[in-house]
Amino acid sequence: MRSARLLEMMLRLQGSPGVTAQNLADELGVSVRTVYRDVGALSAAGVPVWTESGPGGGIRLLDGWQSRLSGLTRPESAALMLLGVPALAAELGVELDAARTKLLGSMPLPLRTAAQVWRDRVYIDAPGWFAEPGGNEHLPIVATAVLEGRRLRIRYRRGKVEVARTLDPLGLVAKAGVWYLVAGHSRRIVSYRVGRITAADALDEPARRPDDFDLAAWWTASTLEFDREIRTFACTVRLSPTAWRRLPKIVGVGAADVEPGEPDAEGWVRVDLMLEGEEVAVDQFLALGGGVEVLAPSSLRASLRAAGERLARLNHP
């Protein structure tokens, strides 16, 4: 969006001795002509930006000028990263109002107006529809250990027993409203559901963190690996065009990578799937309605038919 790009350009120029139009174009992913148009828009909005040609020239702000964003406190900087997810910010104990006010106040009027429209008309609700709020009373302590790079001692509920762990926290992930701690333990990197932590204490010892650790990349790879490990049930089905389109949403991670056979005269396709088990497969296929026919194994075909007959009996007029 242009308003976001103008804000990014303003912050990029702040405190800089000058940046060439080509460098700005490369950083922002736009053309040089767009950069000059944006410079004109910032100038018209009251930002003291100007260009200087020749060697050592470039695009710069008036010496000494800076936006009020430079006065963000550490908590406000943290809040800035969570402006779009207030529910998660509240669980972390982060106050958003001061950062939001300072961010809006730092913008020229046209950008501020556009940002206010987004604030008023777009809301990100991260948790799932039917997710129960977890017991995250230890989340602020866990977050402190993560952000300050301190080791963490926890007690963790695993089934019916509790285990004690001393961890090297590496990051926090919020997945469908559920918080997970990613941490190093015994030379491995593992994830812990924060709602199952029954006690937490941030230690004064520095946490050990791999130099090349990338939280997003690790989480993505871990999720895919977990998905592969639990999908051990092979089956073959025919799917209607509608069921095929809905399959990734119903079956989950990895379904979009399935290669279907050639459509038949009615547009149905044959698909080989790896699912979590026969019981899970029945539930998932019921969600596809009348758009699925099980070809193999015969036990799954019988289970799906029996489930359909139970539904028919329960809903008979």
Side-chain angles (χ1 to χ4, degrees):
M1 299 300 294
R2 192 187 188 202
S3 59
R5 190 176 68 245
L6 291 176
L7 177 60
E8 184 178 356
M9 179 184 288
M10 183 178 71
L11 295 176
R12 172 66 179 84
L13 293 173
Q14 185 170 296
S16 170
V19 184
T20 67
Q22 186 61 62
N23 283 344
L24 277 176
D26 293 341
E27 292 179 18
L28 299 173
V30 296
S31 66
V32 171
R33 178 177 297 182
T34 298
V35 166
Y36 282 119
R37 282 202 298 264
D38 288 350
V39 167
L42 284 175
S43 180
V47 177
V49 59
W50 56 288
T51 61
E52 184 178 42
S53 59
I59 301 170
R60 67 184 69 202
L61 294 173
L62 182 68
D63 290 345
W65 186 90
Q66 54 184 278
S67 73
R68 281 171 281 179
L69 278 179
S70 58
L72 281 172
T73 65
R74 183 173 179 178
E76 289 168 351
S77 299
L80 193 59
M81 299 299 101
L82 291 164
L83 285 176
V85 281
L88 301 187
E91 289 186 346
L92 284 167
V94 174
E95 174 55 51
L96 295 180
D97 289 343
R100 182 184 289 115
T101 299
K102 192 168 289 186
L103 174 62
L104 290 173
S106 71
M107 297 178 180
L109 183 58
L111 273 69
R112 190 186 315 161
T113 301
Q116 189 66 48
V117 169
W118 276 84
R119 177 186 173 186
D120 292 342
R121 303 183 189 183
V122 178
Y123 177 76
I124 300 174
D125 184 11
W129 275 107
F130 305 109
E132 292 293 333
N136 292 323
E137 60 268 25
H138 300 293
L139 180 59
I141 296 175
V142 172
T144 296
V146 170
L147 297 173
E148 296 183 358
R150 296 158 59 185
R151 301 196 84 196
L152 182 70
R153 183 181 293 122
I154 66 170
R155 291 194 64 81
Y156 187 75
R157 189 174 67 253
R158 177 171 289 171
K160 296 182 178 180
V161 301
E162 283 190 3
V163 295
R165 293 283 186 269
T166 299
L167 307 173
D168 292 295
L170 300 174
L172 281 168
V173 175
K175 172 72 171 178
V178 178
W179 285 98
Y180 295 88
L181 166 67
V182 178
H185 179 256
S186 297
R187 299 183 181 181
R188 297 174 57 236
I189 297 177
V190 293
S191 62
Y192 299 85
R193 186 163 174 163
V194 174
R196 294 177 182 165
I197 294 176
T198 59
D201 183 25
L203 308 179
D204 290 331
E205 308 168 32
R208 294 186 293 267
R209 185 180 186 88
D211 292 336
D212 58 350
F213 180 71
D214 184 315
L215 178 62
W218 182 89
W219 180 261
T220 300
S222 176
T223 301
L224 291 174
E225 180 62 27
F226 176 77
D227 187 67
R228 284 192 292 267
E229 289 178 356
I230 65 174
R231 293 177 183 271
T232 58
F233 180 76
C235 61
T236 303
V237 297
R238 284 181 69 243
L239 299 174
S240 71
T242 299
W244 168 244
R245 287 194 299 270
R246 296 182 60 208
L247 185 69
K249 184 175 182 180
I250 299 300
V251 172
V253 177
D257 299 325
V258 174
E259 187 69 28
E262 289 296 322
D264 61 19
E266 298 177 329
W268 287 52
V269 293
R270 178 185 173 118
V271 182
D272 295 318
L273 296 172
M274 295 297 295
L275 303 178
E276 296 176 34
E278 185 167 291
E279 186 176 346
V280 173
V282 169
D283 290 341
Q284 291 173 333
F285 290 156
L286 285 174
L288 292 174
V292 57
E293 177 191 0
V294 174
L295 302 179
S298 58
S299 61
L300 175 60
R301 184 179 179 92
S303 294
L304 185 61
R305 181 175 64 248
E309 289 172 349
R310 285 195 298 272
L311 279 174
R313 287 195 300 272
L314 288 171
N315 294 278
H316 193 275

